[in-house]
Amino acid sequence: MSAPTITVTRAQAEDFLYQEAMLLDEWHLDAWLTLFEEGGTFEVPTTDYKGWDRTGGGFFVLDDWDLLNARVKRLKSRKAHAENPHSRTHRMVSNVRVLDGADGVEIKANFIINRFRDLTHHVYVGRYHHDVVVNDEGELKFTHRRAFLEHELLEHGARLSFIL
């Protein structure tokens, strides 16, 4: 017997990504973490990414579940000096696509993040490529969250101390 086919609509994927953007912009990091399936991962490859695996290339962020939890805990503490007080961000998500994945559903989308900190403004442009599952309650959950920057390099003063 084959596994039942789970259908995720583009509207459901958009709502999920818009909810995530709101949680991050409003700095609700504990609530953001609940968008992950336990054991989920988060990565941001370097801007020279060429499709390598997790062991063969450079990453700005390469978090397994334990590191992801530690990142949220640190960002909420006063120890995250680069984000104390935290940056103000405004995220825009567009061009959302839903695809069948090997172990669930793939969601791809584009993003623009405006970041304001220390009287400066930086823009981060890129694309998301997420693996998600639908849990028993019918909620989408990240199993693997990836953010690819499209920049050739980050401008002077631009930091990735916040969650991309």
Side-chain angles (χ1 to χ4, degrees):
M1 175 184 270
S2 63
T5 302
I6 306 231
T7 302
V8 174
T9 67
R10 188 181 72 226
Q12 290 170 310
E14 287 173 342
D15 287 346
F16 179 68
L17 295 178
Y18 297 159
Q19 174 72 10
E20 180 197 30
M22 182 195 74
L23 292 172
L24 289 172
D25 284 345
E26 295 177 1
W27 210 251
H28 297 299
L29 300 181
D30 287 326
W32 174 73
L33 198 55
T34 68
L35 297 178
F36 283 82
E37 184 81 0
E38 187 169 338
T41 60
F42 169 44
E43 66 184 42
V44 180
T46 54
T47 56
D48 61 346
Y49 178 75
K50 302 289 186 232
W52 46 68
D53 66 18
R54 295 173 62 87
T55 60
F59 290 84
F60 293 119
V61 176
L62 185 60
D63 289 356
D64 63 13
W65 181 244
D66 292 334
L67 286 172
L68 183 57
N69 280 275
R71 178 179 302 278
V72 166
K73 182 178 179 181
R74 185 177 46 45
L75 284 171
K76 291 177 11 185
S77 77
R78 298 180 69 71
K79 294 177 183 176
H81 68 277
E83 286 297 327
N84 185 20
H86 63 80
S87 299
R88 290 176 296 126
T89 57
H90 177 80
R91 297 161 199 275
M92 294 179 281
V93 178
S94 68
N95 298 2
V96 177
R97 283 113 36 228
V98 180
L99 307 160
D100 290 332
D103 296 317
V105 175
E106 290 181 33
I107 298 176
K108 294 183 178 185
N110 295 334
F111 67 83
I112 298 173
I113 302 173
N114 290 282
R115 177 178 181 245
F116 304 90
R117 178 160 181 81
D118 299 329
L119 303 175
T120 63
H121 169 235
H122 297 284
V123 179
Y124 301 81
V125 177
R127 58 192 163 83
Y128 291 131
H129 184 167
H130 306 315
D131 296 328
V132 299
V133 294
V134 179
N135 68 10
D136 293 337
E137 290 78 39
E139 303 167 319
L140 292 175
K141 297 286 183 176
F142 291 117
T143 57
H144 192 68
R145 182 186 186 278
R146 289 181 294 271
F148 298 91
L149 284 169
E150 294 297 336
H151 302 253
E152 291 179 5
L153 55 92
L154 294 176
E155 61 189 19
H156 180 73
R159 297 184 298 259
L160 291 176
S161 54
F162 66 104
I163 295 173
L164 198 61

Coordinates of all heavy atoms in Angstrom, one line a residue, residues 5-91:
T5 N -1.3 10.5 -0.6 CA -0.7 11.8 -1.2 C -1.2 13.0 -0.4 O -2.4 13.1 -0.2 CB -1.2 11.9 -2.7 OG1 -0.7 10.7 -3.4 CG2 -0.6 13.2 -3.3
I6 N -0.3 13.8 0.0 CA -0.7 15.0 0.7 C -0.6 16.2 -0.2 O 0.4 16.4 -0.9 CB 0.3 15.2 1.9 CG1 0.3 14.0 2.7 CG2 -0.1 16.5 2.7 CD1 0.1 14.1 4.2
T7 N -1.7 16.9 -0.3 CA -1.8 18.1 -1.2 C -1.6 19.3 -0.3 O -2.3 19.5 0.7 CB -3.1 18.1 -1.9 OG1 -3.2 16.9 -2.7 CG2 -3.1 19.3 -2.8
V8 N -0.7 20.2 -0.7 CA -0.5 21.5 -0.1 C -0.7 22.5 -1.3 O -0.1 22.4 -2.3 CB 0.9 21.7 0.5 CG1 1.1 23.1 0.9 CG2 1.2 20.7 1.6
T9 N -1.6 23.4 -1.0 CA -1.9 24.4 -2.1 C -0.9 25.6 -2.0 O -0.3 25.8 -0.9 CB -3.3 25.0 -1.9 OG1 -3.4 25.7 -0.7 CG2 -4.4 23.9 -1.9
R10 N -0.8 26.3 -3.0 CA 0.0 27.5 -3.0 C -0.4 28.5 -1.9 O 0.4 29.1 -1.2 CB 0.1 28.2 -4.4 CG 1.2 29.3 -4.4 CD 1.3 30.0 -5.7 NE 0.1 30.9 -5.8 CZ -0.7 31.0 -6.9 NH1 -0.4 30.3 -8.0 NH2 -1.7 31.8 -6.9
A11 N -1.7 28.6 -1.8 CA -2.3 29.5 -0.7 C -1.8 29.1 0.7 O -1.5 29.9 1.5 CB -3.8 29.6 -0.8
Q12 N -1.8 27.8 0.9 CA -1.4 27.3 2.2 C 0.1 27.6 2.4 O 0.5 28.0 3.5 CB -1.6 25.8 2.4 CG -3.1 25.4 2.5 CD -3.3 23.9 2.4 OE1 -2.8 23.3 1.4 NE2 -4.1 23.4 3.3
A13 N 0.9 27.3 1.4 CA 2.3 27.6 1.4 C 2.6 29.1 1.6 O 3.4 29.5 2.4 CB 3.0 27.1 0.2
E14 N 1.8 29.9 0.9 CA 2.0 31.4 1.1 C 1.7 31.8 2.5 O 2.4 32.6 3.1 CB 1.1 32.1 0.1 CG 1.6 32.1 -1.3 CD 0.6 32.7 -2.3 OE1 -0.6 32.9 -2.0 OE2 1.1 33.0 -3.4
D15 N 0.6 31.3 3.1 CA 0.2 31.6 4.4 C 1.3 31.2 5.4 O 1.6 31.9 6.4 CB -1.2 31.0 4.8 CG -2.3 31.7 4.1 OD1 -2.2 32.8 3.6 OD2 -3.4 31.0 4.2
F16 N 1.8 30.0 5.2 CA 2.9 29.5 6.1 C 4.1 30.5 6.0 O 4.7 30.9 7.0 CB 3.3 28.1 5.6 CG 4.4 27.5 6.4 CD1 4.2 27.1 7.7 CD2 5.6 27.2 5.8 CE1 5.2 26.5 8.4 CE2 6.6 26.6 6.5 CZ 6.4 26.2 7.8
L17 N 4.5 30.9 4.8 CA 5.7 31.7 4.7 C 5.4 33.2 5.2 O 6.3 33.8 5.7 CB 6.2 31.8 3.2 CG 6.7 30.5 2.6 CD1 7.1 30.6 1.2 CD2 7.9 30.0 3.5
Y18 N 4.2 33.6 5.0 CA 3.8 35.0 5.5 C 3.8 35.0 7.0 O 4.2 35.9 7.7 CB 2.5 35.4 5.0 CG 2.4 35.6 3.4 CD1 1.2 35.6 2.8 CD2 3.5 35.8 2.7 CE1 1.1 35.7 1.4 CE2 3.5 36.0 1.3 CZ 2.3 35.9 0.7 OH 2.2 36.1 -0.7
Q19 N 3.3 33.9 7.6 CA 3.3 33.7 9.1 C 4.8 33.7 9.6 O 5.1 34.4 10.6 CB 2.6 32.5 9.5 CG 2.7 32.1 11.0 CD 1.8 33.1 11.8 OE1 1.0 33.8 11.3 NE2 2.0 33.0 13.1
E20 N 5.6 33.0 8.9 CA 7.0 33.0 9.3 C 7.6 34.4 9.2 O 8.3 34.8 10.1 CB 7.8 32.0 8.4 CG 9.3 32.0 8.8 CD 10.2 31.4 7.8 OE1 10.0 31.5 6.6 OE2 11.3 30.9 8.3
A21 N 7.4 35.1 8.1 CA 7.9 36.4 8.0 C 7.5 37.3 9.1 O 8.3 38.1 9.7 CB 7.5 37.0 6.6
M22 N 6.2 37.2 9.5 CA 5.7 38.1 10.5 C 6.3 37.7 11.9 O 6.8 38.6 12.6 CB 4.2 37.9 10.7 CG 3.5 38.8 11.7 SD 1.9 38.3 12.2 CE 2.2 36.8 13.2
L23 N 6.5 36.4 12.2 CA 7.1 36.0 13.4 C 8.6 36.5 13.5 O 9.0 37.0 14.6 CB 7.1 34.5 13.6 CG 5.7 33.9 13.8 CD1 5.8 32.4 13.7 CD2 5.1 34.4 15.1
L24 N 9.3 36.4 12.4 CA 10.7 36.9 12.4 C 10.8 38.4 12.5 O 11.6 39.0 13.2 CB 11.4 36.4 11.2 CG 11.7 34.9 11.2 CD1 12.3 34.4 9.9 CD2 12.7 34.5 12.4
D25 N 9.9 39.1 11.7 CA 9.9 40.6 11.8 C 9.6 41.1 13.1 O 10.1 42.2 13.6 CB 9.0 41.2 10.7 CG 9.5 41.1 9.3 OD1 10.8 40.9 9.1 OD2 8.7 41.3 8.4
E26 N 8.7 40.4 13.8 CA 8.2 40.9 15.2 C 9.1 40.2 16.3 O 8.8 40.4 17.4 CB 6.7 40.6 15.3 CG 5.9 41.4 14.4 CD 4.4 41.1 14.5 OE1 4.0 40.2 15.3 OE2 3.6 41.7 13.7
W27 N 10.1 39.5 15.9 CA 11.0 38.9 16.8 C 10.4 37.9 17.8 O 10.8 37.8 19.0 CB 11.8 40.0 17.6 CG 13.2 39.7 18.0 CD1 13.6 39.4 19.3 CD2 14.3 39.5 17.2 NE1 14.9 39.1 19.3 CE2 15.4 39.2 18.0 CE3 14.6 39.6 15.8 CZ2 16.7 38.9 17.6 CZ3 15.8 39.4 15.3 CH2 16.9 39.0 16.2
H28 N 9.4 37.1 17.3 CA 8.8 36.0 18.1 C 9.6 34.8 17.8 O 9.1 33.9 17.1 CB 7.3 35.9 17.8 CG 6.5 37.1 18.1 ND1 6.4 37.6 19.4 CD2 5.8 38.0 17.3 CE1 5.7 38.7 19.4 NE2 5.3 38.9 18.1
L29 N 10.8 34.6 18.3 CA 11.7 33.6 17.9 C 11.2 32.2 18.4 O 11.4 31.2 17.7 CB 13.1 33.9 18.3 CG 13.7 35.2 17.7 CD1 15.1 35.4 18.2 CD2 13.6 35.2 16.2
D30 N 10.7 32.1 19.6 CA 10.2 30.9 20.1 C 9.1 30.3 19.3 O 9.0 29.2 18.9 CB 9.8 31.0 21.6 CG 10.9 31.1 22.5 OD1 12.0 30.5 22.3 OD2 10.8 31.8 23.6
A31 N 8.1 31.2 18.9 CA 7.0 30.8 18.0 C 7.6 30.4 16.6 O 7.1 29.5 16.0 CB 6.0 32.0 17.9
W32 N 8.6 31.1 16.1 CA 9.2 30.8 14.9 C 9.8 29.4 14.9 O 9.6 28.6 14.0 CB 10.3 31.8 14.5 CG 11.1 31.4 13.3 CD1 10.6 31.4 12.0 CD2 12.4 30.9 13.2 NE1 11.6 31.0 11.1 CE2 12.7 30.6 11.8 CE3 13.3 30.6 14.2 CZ2 13.9 30.1 11.4 CZ3 14.6 30.1 13.8 CH2 14.8 29.8 12.4
L33 N 10.4 29.0 16.0 CA 11.0 27.7 16.2 C 9.9 26.6 16.1 O 10.2 25.5 15.6 CB 11.8 27.6 17.5 CG 12.8 26.5 17.6 CD1 13.8 26.5 16.5 CD2 13.5 26.6 19.0
T34 N 8.7 26.9 16.5 CA 7.6 25.9 16.5 C 7.2 25.6 15.0 O 6.4 24.6 14.8 CB 6.4 26.3 17.3 OG1 5.8 27.4 16.7 CG2 6.8 26.6 18.7
L35 N 7.7 26.4 14.1 CA 7.4 26.1 12.7 C 8.2 24.9 12.1 O 8.0 24.5 11.0 CB 7.6 27.3 11.8 CG 6.7 28.5 12.1 CD1 7.1 29.7 11.2 CD2 5.2 28.2 12.0
F36 N 9.2 24.4 12.9 CA 10.0 23.3 12.5 C 9.5 22.0 13.1 O 9.1 22.0 14.2 CB 11.5 23.6 13.0 CG 12.2 24.6 12.3 CD1 12.1 25.9 12.5 CD2 13.2 24.2 11.3 CE1 12.8 26.8 11.8 CE2 13.9 25.1 10.6 CZ 13.7 26.4 10.8
E37 N 9.7 21.0 12.3 CA 9.5 19.6 12.8 C 10.7 19.4 13.7 O 11.8 19.8 13.4 CB 9.5 18.7 11.6 CG 9.3 17.2 12.0 CD 7.8 16.9 12.2 OE1 6.9 17.8 12.1 OE2 7.6 15.7 12.5
E38 N 10.5 18.7 14.9 CA 11.7 18.4 15.7 C 12.7 17.7 14.9 O 12.4 16.7 14.2 CB 11.3 17.6 16.9 CG 12.4 17.4 17.9 CD 12.0 16.8 19.2 OE1 10.8 16.9 19.6 OE2 12.9 16.3 19.9
G39 N 14.0 18.1 15.0 CA 15.1 17.5 14.2 C 15.3 18.3 12.9 O 16.2 18.0 12.1
G40 N 14.6 19.4 12.7 CA 14.7 20.2 11.5 C 16.1 20.9 11.4 O 16.8 21.0 12.4
T41 N 16.4 21.3 10.2 CA 17.7 22.0 10.0 C 17.5 23.3 9.3 O 16.5 23.6 8.7 CB 18.6 21.1 9.1 OG1 18.0 20.9 7.9 CG2 19.0 19.8 9.8
F42 N 18.5 24.2 9.4 CA 18.5 25.5 8.8 C 19.8 25.8 8.2 O 20.8 25.6 8.9 CB 18.1 26.5 9.9 CG 18.3 28.0 9.5 CD1 17.9 28.5 8.3 CD2 18.8 28.8 10.4 CE1 18.0 29.8 8.0 CE2 19.0 30.2 10.1 CZ 18.6 30.7 8.9
E43 N 19.9 26.2 6.9 CA 21.2 26.5 6.3 C 21.1 27.8 5.4 O 20.1 28.0 4.8 CB 21.8 25.4 5.6 CG 21.0 24.9 4.4 CD 21.6 23.7 3.8 OE1 22.0 22.7 4.5 OE2 21.7 23.6 2.5
V44 N 22.2 28.5 5.4 CA 22.4 29.6 4.5 C 23.7 29.4 3.8 O 24.8 29.6 4.4 CB 22.3 31.0 5.2 CG1 22.5 32.1 4.2 CG2 21.0 31.1 6.0
P45 N 23.8 28.9 2.6 CA 25.1 28.7 1.9 C 25.7 30.0 1.6 O 25.1 31.1 1.5 CB 24.7 28.0 0.6 CG 23.3 27.4 0.8 CD 22.7 28.4 1.8
T46 N 27.0 30.0 1.4 CA 27.7 31.2 1.0 C 27.3 31.6 -0.4 O 26.7 30.8 -1.1 CB 29.3 31.0 1.0 OG1 29.6 29.8 0.2 CG2 29.8 30.8 2.4
T47 N 27.6 32.8 -0.8 CA 27.1 33.4 -2.0 C 27.8 32.8 -3.2 O 27.3 33.0 -4.4 CB 27.3 34.9 -2.1 OG1 28.7 35.2 -1.9 CG2 26.5 35.6 -1.0
D48 N 28.8 32.0 -3.0 CA 29.5 31.3 -4.2 C 29.0 29.8 -4.3 O 29.6 29.0 -4.9 CB 31.0 31.3 -4.1 CG 31.5 30.6 -2.8 OD1 30.7 30.4 -1.9 OD2 32.7 30.4 -2.7
Y49 N 27.8 29.5 -3.7 CA 27.2 28.2 -3.6 C 27.2 27.5 -5.0 O 26.7 28.2 -6.0 CB 25.9 28.2 -3.0 CG 25.1 26.9 -2.9 CD1 25.5 25.9 -2.0 CD2 24.1 26.6 -3.8 CE1 24.8 24.7 -1.9 CE2 23.4 25.4 -3.7 CZ 23.8 24.5 -2.8 OH 23.1 23.3 -2.8
K50 N 27.6 26.3 -5.2 CA 27.6 25.6 -6.4 C 26.9 24.3 -6.3 O 27.1 23.4 -7.2 CB 29.0 25.4 -6.9 CG 29.9 26.6 -7.1 CD 29.4 27.4 -8.3 CE 30.4 28.6 -8.5 NZ 29.7 29.9 -8.6
G51 N 26.0 24.1 -5.4 CA 25.2 22.9 -5.3 C 25.9 21.8 -4.5 O 25.4 20.6 -4.5
W52 N 26.9 22.1 -3.7 CA 27.6 21.0 -2.9 C 26.7 20.6 -1.8 O 25.7 21.2 -1.4 CB 28.9 21.5 -2.4 CG 28.9 22.9 -1.9 CD1 28.3 23.3 -0.7 CD2 29.5 24.0 -2.4 NE1 28.5 24.6 -0.5 CE2 29.2 25.1 -1.5 CE3 30.2 24.3 -3.6 CZ2 29.7 26.4 -1.8 CZ3 30.7 25.6 -3.8 CH2 30.4 26.6 -2.9
D53 N 27.1 19.5 -1.2 CA 26.4 19.0 0.0 C 26.8 19.7 1.3 O 27.7 20.5 1.2 CB 26.5 17.4 0.1 CG 27.9 17.0 0.4 OD1 28.7 17.7 0.9 OD2 28.1 15.8 0.2
R54 N 26.2 19.3 2.4 CA 26.5 19.9 3.7 C 28.0 19.8 4.1 O 28.4 20.5 5.0 CB 25.6 19.4 4.7 CG 24.1 19.7 4.4 CD 23.2 19.0 5.4 NE 23.3 19.4 6.8 CZ 22.8 20.4 7.4 NH1 22.0 21.2 6.7 NH2 23.0 20.6 8.7
T55 N 28.7 18.8 3.5 CA 30.1 18.6 4.0 C 31.1 19.2 3.0 O 32.3 19.2 3.4 CB 30.4 17.1 4.2 OG1 30.2 16.5 2.9 CG2 29.4 16.5 5.2
G56 N 30.7 19.6 1.9 CA 31.7 20.0 0.9 C 31.8 21.5 0.5 O 32.4 21.8 -0.5
G57 N 31.1 22.4 1.2 CA 31.2 23.8 0.8 C 31.0 24.7 2.0 O 31.0 24.3 3.1
G58 N 31.0 26.0 1.6 CA 30.9 27.0 2.6 C 29.5 27.4 3.0 O 28.6 27.4 2.1
F59 N 29.3 27.7 4.2 CA 27.9 28.1 4.7 C 28.1 29.3 5.7 O 29.0 29.2 6.5 CB 27.2 26.9 5.4 CG 26.8 25.8 4.5 CD1 27.7 24.9 4.1 CD2 25.5 25.8 3.9 CE1 27.3 23.8 3.2 CE2 25.1 24.8 3.1 CZ 26.0 23.8 2.7
F60 N 27.2 30.2 5.6 CA 27.1 31.2 6.6 C 26.4 30.6 7.8 O 26.7 31.0 9.0 CB 26.2 32.4 6.1 CG 26.9 33.2 5.0 CD1 26.3 33.4 3.8 CD2 28.1 33.9 5.2 CE1 26.8 34.1 2.8 CE2 28.7 34.7 4.2 CZ 28.0 34.8 3.0
V61 N 25.4 29.8 7.6 CA 24.7 29.1 8.7 C 24.5 27.7 8.3 O 24.1 27.4 7.1 CB 23.3 29.7 8.9 CG1 22.5 29.0 9.9 CG2 23.4 31.2 9.3
L62 N 24.8 26.8 9.2 CA 24.6 25.3 8.9 C 24.2 24.7 10.3 O 25.0 24.1 11.0 CB 25.9 24.7 8.4 CG 25.9 23.2 8.0 CD1 24.9 23.0 6.9 CD2 27.2 22.7 7.6
D63 N 22.9 24.9 10.6 CA 22.4 24.5 11.9 C 21.6 23.2 11.9 O 20.7 23.0 11.1 CB 21.5 25.5 12.5 CG 22.2 26.8 12.9 OD1 23.5 26.8 12.9 OD2 21.5 27.7 13.3
D64 N 22.0 22.2 12.7 CA 21.2 21.1 13.0 C 20.2 21.5 14.0 O 20.2 22.7 14.5 CB 22.0 19.8 13.4 CG 22.8 20.0 14.6 OD1 22.5 21.0 15.4 OD2 23.6 19.2 14.9
W65 N 19.3 20.6 14.5 CA 18.3 20.9 15.5 C 18.9 21.6 16.8 O 18.3 22.6 17.3 CB 17.5 19.7 15.8 CG 16.3 19.9 16.7 CD1 16.2 19.4 18.0 CD2 15.2 20.8 16.5 NE1 15.0 19.8 18.5 CE2 14.4 20.7 17.7 CE3 14.8 21.6 15.5 CZ2 13.2 21.4 17.8 CZ3 13.6 22.3 15.6 CH2 12.8 22.2 16.8
D66 N 19.9 21.0 17.3 CA 20.5 21.5 18.5 C 21.1 22.9 18.3 O 20.9 23.8 19.1 CB 21.6 20.6 19.1 CG 21.0 19.3 19.6 OD1 19.8 19.2 20.0 OD2 21.8 18.3 19.6
L67 N 21.8 23.1 17.2 CA 22.3 24.5 16.9 C 21.3 25.5 16.7 O 21.4 26.7 17.0 CB 23.3 24.4 15.8 CG 24.7 23.8 16.0 CD1 25.5 23.6 14.7 CD2 25.5 24.6 17.0
L68 N 20.2 25.1 16.0 CA 19.1 26.0 15.8 C 18.4 26.4 17.1 O 18.2 27.6 17.2 CB 18.0 25.2 14.9 CG 16.8 26.0 14.4 CD1 17.2 27.3 13.7 CD2 15.9 25.1 13.6
N69 N 18.2 25.5 18.0 CA 17.7 25.9 19.3 C 18.7 26.8 20.0 O 18.3 27.8 20.7 CB 17.4 24.7 20.1 CG 16.1 24.0 19.8 OD1 15.0 24.5 20.3 ND2 16.1 23.1 18.9
A70 N 20.0 26.5 20.0 CA 21.0 27.4 20.6 C 21.0 28.8 20.0 O 21.2 29.8 20.7 CB 22.3 26.7 20.5
R71 N 20.8 28.9 18.7 CA 20.8 30.2 18.0 C 19.6 31.0 18.5 O 19.8 32.2 18.8 CB 20.7 30.0 16.4 CG 20.6 31.3 15.6 CD 20.5 31.0 14.2 NE 21.6 30.2 13.7 CZ 22.8 30.7 13.4 NH1 23.0 32.0 13.5 NH2 23.8 30.0 12.9
V72 N 18.5 30.4 18.6 CA 17.3 31.2 19.1 C 17.5 31.6 20.5 O 17.3 32.8 20.9 CB 16.0 30.3 19.0 CG1 14.9 30.9 19.8 CG2 15.6 30.2 17.5
K73 N 18.1 30.7 21.3 CA 18.3 31.1 22.7 C 19.3 32.2 22.8 O 19.1 33.2 23.6 CB 18.9 29.9 23.5 CG 19.1 30.1 25.0 CD 19.6 28.9 25.7 CE 19.9 29.1 27.1 NZ 20.4 27.9 27.8
R74 N 20.4 32.2 22.0 CA 21.4 33.2 22.1 C 20.9 34.6 21.5 O 21.1 35.6 22.1 CB 22.6 32.8 21.2 CG 23.8 33.8 21.3 CD 25.0 33.4 20.6 NE 25.1 32.9 19.3 CZ 24.5 33.3 18.2 NH1 23.7 34.1 18.2 NH2 24.6 32.7 17.0
L75 N 20.1 34.5 20.4 CA 19.5 35.8 19.9 C 18.6 36.4 20.9 O 18.5 37.7 20.9 CB 18.8 35.5 18.6 CG 19.7 35.3 17.4 CD1 18.9 34.8 16.2 CD2 20.5 36.5 17.0
K76 N 17.9 35.7 21.7 CA 17.0 36.3 22.7 C 17.8 36.8 23.9 O 17.2 37.6 24.7 CB 16.0 35.2 23.1 CG 15.0 34.9 22.1 CD 14.0 33.8 22.4 CE 14.0 33.4 23.9 NZ 13.2 32.3 24.2
S77 N 19.0 36.4 24.1 CA 19.8 36.8 25.3 C 20.5 38.1 25.0 O 20.6 38.6 23.9 CB 20.8 35.7 25.7 OG 21.9 35.7 24.8
R78 N 21.1 38.7 26.0 CA 21.9 39.9 25.9 C 23.3 39.5 25.3 O 24.1 40.4 25.0 CB 22.0 40.6 27.2 CG 20.7 41.1 27.7 CD 20.7 41.8 29.0 NE 21.4 43.1 29.0 CZ 20.9 44.2 28.4 NH1 19.7 44.1 27.8 NH2 21.5 45.3 28.5
K79 N 23.6 38.2 25.2 CA 24.9 37.8 24.7 C 25.1 38.0 23.2 O 26.2 37.9 22.7 CB 25.2 36.3 25.1 CG 25.3 36.2 26.6 CD 25.5 34.7 26.9 CE 25.5 34.6 28.4 NZ 25.6 33.2 28.8
A80 N 24.0 38.1 22.5 CA 24.1 38.3 21.0 C 24.3 39.8 20.7 O 23.4 40.5 20.3 CB 22.8 37.8 20.3
H81 N 25.5 40.3 21.0 CA 25.8 41.7 20.9 C 25.5 42.3 19.6 O 25.1 43.5 19.5 CB 27.3 41.9 21.3 CG 28.3 41.4 20.3 ND1 28.6 40.1 20.3 CD2 28.9 42.0 19.2 CE1 29.5 39.9 19.3 NE2 29.6 41.0 18.6
A82 N 25.6 41.6 18.5 CA 25.3 42.1 17.2 C 23.8 42.3 17.0 O 23.4 43.0 16.0 CB 25.9 41.2 16.1
E83 N 23.0 41.7 17.8 CA 21.5 41.9 17.8 C 21.0 42.3 19.1 O 19.9 41.9 19.5 CB 20.9 40.6 17.3 CG 21.1 40.3 15.8 CD 20.5 41.3 14.9 OE1 19.4 41.9 15.3 OE2 21.1 41.6 13.9
N84 N 21.7 43.2 19.8 CA 21.2 43.7 21.1 C 21.3 45.2 21.1 O 22.4 45.7 21.3 CB 21.9 43.0 22.3 CG 21.3 43.5 23.6 OD1 20.2 43.9 23.7 ND2 22.1 43.3 24.6
P85 N 20.3 46.0 20.9 CA 18.9 45.5 20.6 C 18.8 44.9 19.2 O 19.7 45.2 18.4 CB 18.1 46.8 20.7 CG 19.0 47.9 20.4 CD 20.4 47.4 20.9
H86 N 17.8 44.2 18.9 CA 17.7 43.5 17.7 C 17.4 44.4 16.5 O 16.8 45.5 16.7 CB 16.7 42.3 17.7 CG 15.2 42.8 18.0 ND1 14.4 43.3 17.0 CD2 14.5 42.7 19.1 CE1 13.3 43.6 17.5 NE2 13.3 43.2 18.8
S87 N 17.8 44.0 15.3 CA 17.5 44.7 14.1 C 16.0 44.8 13.8 O 15.2 43.9 14.2 CB 18.2 44.0 12.9 OG 19.5 43.9 13.0
R88 N 15.6 45.9 13.1 CA 14.3 46.0 12.6 C 14.3 45.4 11.2 O 15.2 45.9 10.4 CB 13.8 47.4 12.7 CG 13.5 47.9 14.1 CD 13.1 49.3 14.2 NE 14.2 50.2 13.7 CZ 14.1 51.1 12.8 NH1 13.0 51.3 12.2 NH2 15.2 51.8 12.4
T89 N 13.4 44.5 10.9 CA 13.4 43.9 9.6 C 12.0 44.0 9.0 O 11.0 44.1 9.7 CB 13.9 42.5 9.6 OG1 13.0 41.7 10.4 CG2 15.3 42.3 10.0
H90 N 12.0 44.0 7.7 CA 10.7 44.0 6.9 C 10.9 43.0 5.8 O 11.8 43.3 4.9 CB 10.4 45.4 6.4 CG 9.1 45.4 5.5 ND1 7.9 45.4 6.1 CD2 9.0 45.4 4.2 CE1 7.0 45.4 5.1 NE2 7.6 45.4 4.0
R91 N 10.2 41.9 5.8 CA 10.3 40.9 4.8 C 9.2 40.9 3.8 O 8.1 41.1 4.2 CB 10.3 39.5 5.5 CG 11.5 39.3 6.5 CD 11.2 38.2 7.5 NE 12.1 38.4 8.6 CZ 13.3 37.9 8.6 NH1 13.8 37.2 7.6 NH2 14.1 38.1 9.7

